[in-house]
Amino acid sequence: MPAASVMTEPGELGRFGEYGGRYVPESLVPACAAVEEAFREAWADPRFHRDLDRLLAVHAGRPTALTPAWRLSAELGVNVLLKREDLAHTGSHKINNVLGQALLAQRMGKTRILAETGAGQHGVATATAAALLGLEATIFMGEVDIERQALNVFRMKMLGAEVIPVTSGTRTLKDSTSEAMRHWVTCVDEAYYCLGSVMGPHPYPWMVREFQRVIGDEARRQCAAELTTGNPDYVVACIGGGSNAAGTFAGFADTPAQLIGVEAEGGAAIAAGKTGVLHGFRSYLLQDENGQVSEAHSIAAGLDYPGIGPEHAYLKDMGRARYVTVSDAEVIPAVHRLARTEGILPALESAHAIAWVIRAAESGELPPWSTVLVTLSGRGDKDMATLMEAS
Ligand SMILES: Cc1ncc(COP(=O)(O)O)c(C=O)c1O
């Protein structure tokens, strides 16, 4: 049963049960504390909300549509509704969080924004917000991701951002996050670290969830208007660090809807991980037998992360949300199926959520004509090269 107190404020130092926290070097403690203080003030200030809501409306194109997937629903025998974050400016939900954090950086008097990126969507969103607000942007990106998301690298550069290739480790999201955090230590006075998901040290998991809550709040109102039952039976979202899922779940945590997070099989921190600490927070992490963080592998660059946001670990332990996995092999047919039935090309990340719905409907796990809200976190343009190679 839903508990009224879920997905509100975390406990002291950002604890969600035993997860979260602020495990950072001494030199970053004051910087994280300053971000927390600034966020608390801003979030209690109606002028900040007014400025953010206006940017979300006139720049990012909110509210995004809730689209009934008519032909897919008819084929699957369940009622699928899509929350269309692919229609947000820059092509994914990442812009919601970034506009919030960029406004916060400006309010704190910072002149530069640092960010990590995997699929490039958070990097593009950061470069966009920086251009809009007249800030400098420096984006850290693993060499492997630079190669598979070349279009997004070019977009970031066009928007005036500096893209720094990360050559350490697996040269993907884990390493670009480590590098961005290392760099932050050297320039905390002028730079703001704009984290792209519900991970990192406190207050980021909480703050990013609050900036992404707009997805769930809008969808809740749209479902109330669209559905005779008011709420969907299932709420489904893909999970990299977990921000589109956390923002969506936040809107439905106090309803009876079943919350389903879909991890990539090769990055399934909850399904295959153990608790540990990475990038400033405690959560489930993929680890080898010696406790070393292991590599994640996913066809979707944005899901190629060995951890998961701490609040998801907590929701899993308390049984409020369920976490499932989808393999690379299921993802490409899901892209094709949505493209052919609905005329929508989803991002490979978002296609994980669609793939689970297809599997669960076809196996009978989803009761006939149950209502399933799926957050379509982004559009597939960035993935065309990967899809061309795969076909
Ligand atoms: C389109 C899209 N969806 C989902 C994700 C995963 O991030 P999160 O789990 O924070 O929503 C990414 C990350 O880059 C993305 O680009």
Side-chain angles (χ1 to χ4, degrees):
M1 257 342 257
S5 58
V6 237
M7 304 203 86
T8 53
E9 219 187 285
E12 208 184 333
L13 269 190
R15 298 276 174 196
F16 299 94
E18 62 176 288
Y19 307 106
R22 185 184 280 161
Y23 297 87
V24 289
E26 205 63 33
S27 49
L28 282 185
V29 171
C32 290
V35 173
E36 181 185 352
E37 195 188 327
F39 174 65
R40 283 186 186 283
E41 269 177 32
W43 216 225
D45 179 355
R47 274 176 315 165
F48 183 83
H49 283 276
R50 199 185 53 216
D51 292 348
L52 178 57
D53 290 350
R54 181 157 169 77
L55 280 187
L56 288 171
V58 303
H59 191 76
R62 301 210 74 87
T64 58
L66 183 76
T67 303
W70 282 302
R71 295 186 59 223
L72 183 66
S73 298
E75 284 185 11
L76 297 179
V78 294
N79 183 17
V80 181
L81 295 165
L82 304 172
K83 180 59 177 159
R84 302 289 306 281
E85 294 303 296
D86 59 314
L87 295 178
H89 180 46
T90 70
S92 83
H93 67 296
K94 297 284 179 187
I95 194 75
N96 306 326
N97 165 45
V98 161
L99 284 175
Q101 289 201 56
L103 272 182
L104 192 66
Q106 199 180 45
R107 189 178 164 108
M108 292 174 77
K110 305 291 183 187
T111 53
R112 235 179 113 205
I113 307 191
L114 311 176
E116 80 297 331
T117 196
Q121 288 303 119
H122 176 58
V124 169
T126 303
T128 299
L132 180 71
L133 300 182
L135 302 165
E136 272 177 60
T138 307
I139 316 289
F140 293 83
M141 189 167 187
E143 267 186 342
V144 167
D145 293 333
I146 286 184
E147 208 176 293
R148 59 180 165 171
Q149 301 291 341
L151 176 67
N152 273 346
V153 176
F154 189 65
R155 288 169 81 196
M156 287 181 250
K157 290 184 176 166
M158 288 285 291
L159 289 157
E162 182 189 13
V163 180
I164 302 198
V166 174
T167 54
S168 53
T170 54
R171 297 170 292 144
T172 58
L173 186 56
K174 171 168 85 61
D175 311 290
S176 55
T177 309
S178 304
E179 205 52 47
M181 289 185 107
R182 259 196 294 275
H183 185 76
W184 194 27
V185 176
T186 67
C187 55
V188 276
D189 288 340
E190 83 272 9
Y192 176 92
Y193 182 24
C194 179
L195 237 157
S197 192
V198 284
M199 54 192 217
H202 180 54
Y204 286 97
W206 166 50
M207 176 171 71
V208 175
R209 181 250 279 161
E210 288 301 283
F211 285 140
Q212 291 293 4
R213 176 184 280 278
V214 65
I215 306 173
D217 287 347
E218 271 176 20
R220 174 96 178 246
R221 287 194 295 275
Q222 291 165 320
C223 284
E226 182 83 17
L227 301 172
T228 44
T229 48
N231 286 309
D233 302 308
Y234 296 84
V235 173
V236 186
C238 70
I239 303 223
S243 69
N244 83 91
T248 310
F249 292 177
F252 294 91
D254 64 345
T255 75
Q258 288 199 40
L259 310 177
I260 313 276
V262 186
E263 295 188 283
E265 197 173 74
I270 283 201
K274 291 187 290 223
T275 52
V277 172
L278 177 70
H279 296 146
F281 67 105
R282 172 181 289 280
S283 188
Y284 285 99
L285 302 173
L286 294 179
Q287 294 169 55
D288 66 16
E289 60 284 1
N290 301 316
Q292 294 293 326
V293 175
S294 30
E295 296 174 20
H297 292 289
S298 169
I299 191 169
L303 306 189
D304 223 344
Y305 185 70
I308 184 164
E311 193 167 21
H312 287 294
Y314 182 57
L315 291 172
K316 188 251 169 195
D317 282 7
M318 72 194 289
R320 179 62 193 97
R322 190 152 72 88
Y323 295 84
V324 295
T325 58
V326 154
S327 68
D328 283 358
E330 293 173 279
V331 170
I332 293 182
V335 171
H336 285 282
R337 188 104 179 238
L338 195 70
R340 303 275 169 100
T341 52
E342 302 300 328
I344 297 170
L345 276 166
L348 287 171
E349 290 80 8
S350 325
H352 282 70
I354 299 292
W356 180 80
V357 172
I358 293 171
R359 190 211 297 157
E362 290 180 345
S363 69
E365 186 179 346
L366 291 174
W369 297 109
S370 47
T371 302
V372 186
L373 171 73
V374 184
T375 295
L376 211 63
S377 55
R379 57 177 171 252
D381 309 28
K382 68 181 178 58
D383 298 317
M384 286 306 122
T386 307
L387 287 166
M388 275 159 75
E389 221 172 89
S391 56

